[in-house]
Amino acid sequence: MSEDVQTSGSQTETIDQPRRRFFGGAAMTIVAGQLGVIASAAAQTGKPASKVPAIKPGTNTSFKSLKQINAGVLNVGYAEDGPSDGAPVVLLHGWPYDIHSYVDIAPLLASKGYRVIVPYLRGYGTTHFLASDTFRNGQQSVVALDIIAVMDALRIQKAIIAGFDWGARTADIMAVLWPERCKGLVSVGGYLIGSPAANKMPLPPKAEFAWWYQYYFATQNGAAGYGKYTHDFAKLIWQQASPKWNFDDATFDRSAAAFNNPDHVAITIHNYRWRIGIAEGEPKYADQEKRLAKVSAISVPTITLEGDANGAPHAPPSAYREKFSGKYEHRDLTGGIGHNLPQEAPQAFAQAVIDVDSFS
């Protein structure tokens, strides 16, 4: 992988967490604070943690720096902020979102001395495949391998990994398969690792209904429809997943530009079809998927987050509490916070990153 970084000037922006198995365990009970954030990681560990200044969501519309780097099978586009020698933080977006979910968070963390990396996942923005004949694979382990490749290319040995939606699942997978690369974890929605075998278990009708788009994507009409109406489809998902978030057209359009990637539709369709076992993954990733199918507990320090107005399928915190065996805290956010939690509540998300850093 190349270590050459191409830079460009500053630029002016679900519902996919499969919950086919819920794991028992008592949820932590704590007192609500600002923005509904519960408890204090600093109090838990006895270490002081910096407090993130208040910020109005949508304050920023662009990143300080946008770059490209060869990493694994991809040339990855990413935003970077903060000192080059700062403690690394990798922020991972979901579907159908993009790096702008973190446009307010990156400068907050940079101001605290962190080196912030926000990559476009495969199939988004300026990230593209180095070879035209590479299979456009969307299975879960592959996305995590992409991020490990990015860290290798940037010579980052260990980082705090934080994300939501596909990004949270990817962070969880990294913590299971490569815990030595994860200093800490912030995961919106908790433990999101799944498998096609687990997803074969039928859910009650109401729960299955919440996955309507997954079954739509399983059809040829769905694949064609998503290709034809990508932007309209994504906006509908945003509205359903965050019913109380009154985002404007400019906010959506900044993210929607990332869906113009020529591989976006193929990666999306393969991901959802792979999840329910109607599309094959690549055999070379079978060992990683077998390890993930064991639903092993995550041992790295973790803070999980959930919004009170998340319209996407999601499990209660009690369902995944026992899947975190290290230092752990759960925080509920109130005030109409939906699925795109980092963009809707940037101060609370940034605070969780800083606080989980104090766990270690």
Side-chain angles (χ1 to χ4, degrees):
M1 57 197 69
S2 170
E3 294 169 358
D4 297 328
V5 179
Q6 308 158 15
T7 63
S8 62
S10 178
Q11 299 181 7
T12 60
E13 199 160 44
T14 320
I15 303 105
D16 63 307
Q17 283 77 0
R19 311 281 205 239
R20 299 287 175 168
R21 290 184 179 177
F22 291 164
F23 303 96
M28 298 183 70
T29 317
I30 11 189
V31 180
Q34 185 182 21
L35 287 176
V37 179
I38 310 180
S40 165
Q44 178 182 1
T45 62
K47 294 182 181 181
S50 301
K51 294 301 178 185
V52 176
I55 185 171
K56 180 181 178 181
T59 296
N60 297 287
T61 59
S62 63
F63 290 93
K64 181 178 180 181
S65 177
L66 296 176
K67 304 179 179 181
Q68 297 288 140
I69 193 166
N70 287 349
V73 300
L74 300 170
N75 179 268
V76 177
Y78 66 99
E80 182 168 2
D81 203 346
S84 60
D85 60 349
V89 176
V90 179
L91 305 176
L92 304 174
H93 68 81
W95 172 87
Y97 305 93
D98 87 321
I99 62 174
H100 286 84
S101 290
Y102 299 103
V103 72
D104 285 326
I105 292 172
L108 288 177
L109 294 177
S111 71
K112 297 298 182 180
Y114 289 95
R115 181 189 182 189
V116 184
I117 306 295
V118 194
Y120 282 111
L121 300 186
R122 57 170 56 197
Y124 292 83
T126 58
T127 292
H128 61 270
F129 287 88
L130 294 173
S132 60
D133 60 349
T134 301
F135 177 54
R136 274 39 178 175
N137 188 342
Q139 71 186 96
Q140 61 181 359
S141 61
V142 174
V143 182
L145 281 162
D146 290 343
I147 307 306
I148 292 294
V150 169
M151 291 174 63
D152 288 344
L154 294 174
R155 298 183 177 181
I156 296 173
Q157 179 58 34
K158 198 169 189 176
I160 295 171
I161 313 296
F164 76 105
D165 196 88
W166 287 27
R169 176 178 299 107
T170 300
D172 291 346
I173 290 168
M174 293 172 67
V176 167
L177 297 182
W178 303 282
E180 71 280 1
R181 307 298 297 271
C182 305
K183 184 179 182 183
L185 179 70
V186 175
S187 179
V188 176
Y191 191 95
L192 306 180
I193 301 171
S195 71
N199 289 345
K200 291 180 180 179
M201 182 181 299
L203 296 175
K206 187 176 181 180
E208 293 284 16
F209 178 73
W211 291 100
W212 66 269
Y213 54 91
Q214 180 168 263
Y215 300 111
Y216 178 64
F217 289 160
T219 69
Q220 288 304 107
N221 199 54
Y226 188 60
K228 183 176 182 179
Y229 299 109
T230 308
H231 289 200
D232 291 346
F233 198 103
K235 181 173 280 190
L236 175 62
I237 295 296
W238 279 38
Q239 292 165 342
Q240 291 186 337
S242 298
K244 296 186 178 181
W245 182 32
N246 295 317
F247 59 87
D248 57 21
D249 287 342
T251 297
F252 175 76
D253 290 343
R254 279 189 289 272
S255 284
F259 313 149
N260 294 328
N261 184 295
D263 301 309
H264 177 75
V265 173
I267 295 293
T268 299
I269 297 301
H270 182 261
N271 176 281
Y272 284 101
R273 290 182 174 182
W274 176 86
R275 292 187 198 193
I276 58 176
I278 62 171
E280 295 293 329
E282 293 182 85
K284 61 184 175 181
Y285 305 118
D287 288 344
Q288 286 91 342
E289 295 297 345
K290 287 179 182 177
R291 290 175 62 190
L292 295 174
K294 295 178 181 178
V295 292
S296 302
I298 290 173
S299 61
V300 304
T302 299
I303 293 177
T304 57
L305 302 170
E306 187 57 82
D308 64 337
N310 184 1
H314 63 281
S318 59
Y320 51 75
R321 173 61 188 94
E322 291 183 351
K323 302 311 295 177
F324 297 94
S325 60
K327 293 181 179 178
Y328 175 80
E329 185 178 328
H330 175 75
R331 300 177 177 184
D332 286 312
L333 306 188
T334 60
I337 305 302
H339 189 62
N340 186 5
L341 189 148
Q343 197 162 1
E344 298 175 59
Q347 181 183 5
F349 191 93
Q351 189 66 58
V353 171
I354 292 173
D355 289 346
V356 83
D357 189 19
S358 74
F359 279 18
S360 55

